[in-house]
Amino acid sequence: MCSACRRFLPAWESITSSLNGAPSSSGDVIRMFHVNDLVSGEIWQDAAKIFGLSFYPSVMVKRGGGEWKLYEGESGDAADKGYREDDLTQFITNGM
């Protein structure tokens, strides 16, 4: 795992433990998972191609049959996403 992913992992684990299986703001059940290159580099490459991801870690949310939304951080800058646990929790819960 890259250094950015290692820094992000504690926040991801905390968010996952509190939100996975919980209801979202619309009443849908939140299902969370992650894809990393430790399991298979091909899986990450496939996901990156399908969703147009050019950086990691990347967090995406999908509501029902809707489109995937990419979390771009507080600044909206993909290069410095400024992951904050409270922002991510709100993004995942509300799908904003």
Side-chain angles (χ1 to χ4, degrees):
M1 286 187 7
C2 70
S3 61
C5 294
R6 286 193 305 267
R7 285 192 308 270
F8 175 64
L9 188 58
W12 178 254
E13 288 176 339
S14 174
I15 293 167
T16 301
S17 69
S18 65
L19 293 182
N20 200 18
S24 69
S25 61
S26 65
D28 298 326
V29 175
I30 297 172
R31 303 277 185 231
M32 300 178 72
F33 63 95
H34 73 274
V35 175
N36 66 48
D37 61 0
L38 294 178
V39 175
S40 169
E42 293 173 7
I43 293 172
W44 163 252
Q45 291 169 0
D46 290 346
K49 285 179 191 174
I50 291 168
F51 298 111
L53 304 175
S54 59
F55 53 88
Y56 47 84
S58 296
V59 175
M60 299 180 74
V61 169
K62 182 178 182 183
R63 285 294 167 122
E67 293 186 24
W68 288 92
K69 294 182 184 179
L70 177 65
Y71 175 75
E72 295 186 40
E74 190 172 78
S75 66
D77 181 356
D80 179 23
K81 298 204 284 191
Y83 281 123
R84 291 182 10 168
E85 194 168 331
D86 56 339
D87 290 338
L88 276 170
T89 299
Q90 180 147 359
F91 175 76
I92 292 166
T93 303
N94 297 325
M96 302 172 95

